[in-house]
Amino acid sequence: MEGSLYGICGNASLSVASSPNPSDAASNPPHLILLDMHMPNFDGYETAARLRDSGFIGPIIALTADAMQGDMNRCLEAGCNEYLSKPIDARRLVRLVVELTMRLY
């Protein structure tokens, strides 16, 4: 995919893709999406809703600088499974990724 970046972790058990085009996730679905809710070219709330409308059933974790209770509810209503406010707690992020991806298997 043009504009995408792929990487493999040292143990080759995790691949990472980054794309400026949210529709890439619908055509080649990842196991989990980390979604910045305030991207420069796309609204994260609309992106989450479009992903769900297109049939994406995997977990979506919202990442946002907005830390109010209403912001969390807005993320969840848009289709995100979880919400993390910035600055991101790396340990919490890793726990969420493990928890959500383990449910897939």
Side-chain angles (χ1 to χ4, degrees), residues 6-103:
Y6 295 89
I8 305 289
C9 289
N11 63 4
S13 66
L14 175 70
S15 64
V16 177
S18 173
S19 176
N21 185 357
S23 65
D24 291 344
S27 62
N28 187 18
H31 292 284
L32 178 137
I33 293 176
L34 298 175
L35 182 58
D36 185 348
M37 301 311 281
H38 299 287
M39 298 177 284
N41 298 320
F42 295 96
D43 176 81
Y45 303 97
E46 183 179 334
T47 299
R50 284 186 180 188
L51 285 165
R52 295 301 186 205
D53 289 344
S54 72
F56 180 73
I57 59 171
I60 300 173
I61 300 175
L63 306 176
T64 181
D66 301 329
M68 306 282 286
Q69 181 67 30
D71 299 317
M72 180 183 77
N73 291 338
R74 185 173 177 212
C75 291
L76 299 176
E77 288 170 5
C80 298
N81 299 82
E82 293 288 343
Y83 160 94
L84 291 174
S85 62
K86 297 175 184 177
I88 302 299
D89 177 338
R91 290 180 184 193
R92 172 114 171 93
L93 174 60
V94 170
R95 280 194 302 268
L96 273 176
V97 168
V98 169
E99 176 186 321
L100 293 170
T101 55
M102 291 300 289
R103 291 181 192 170

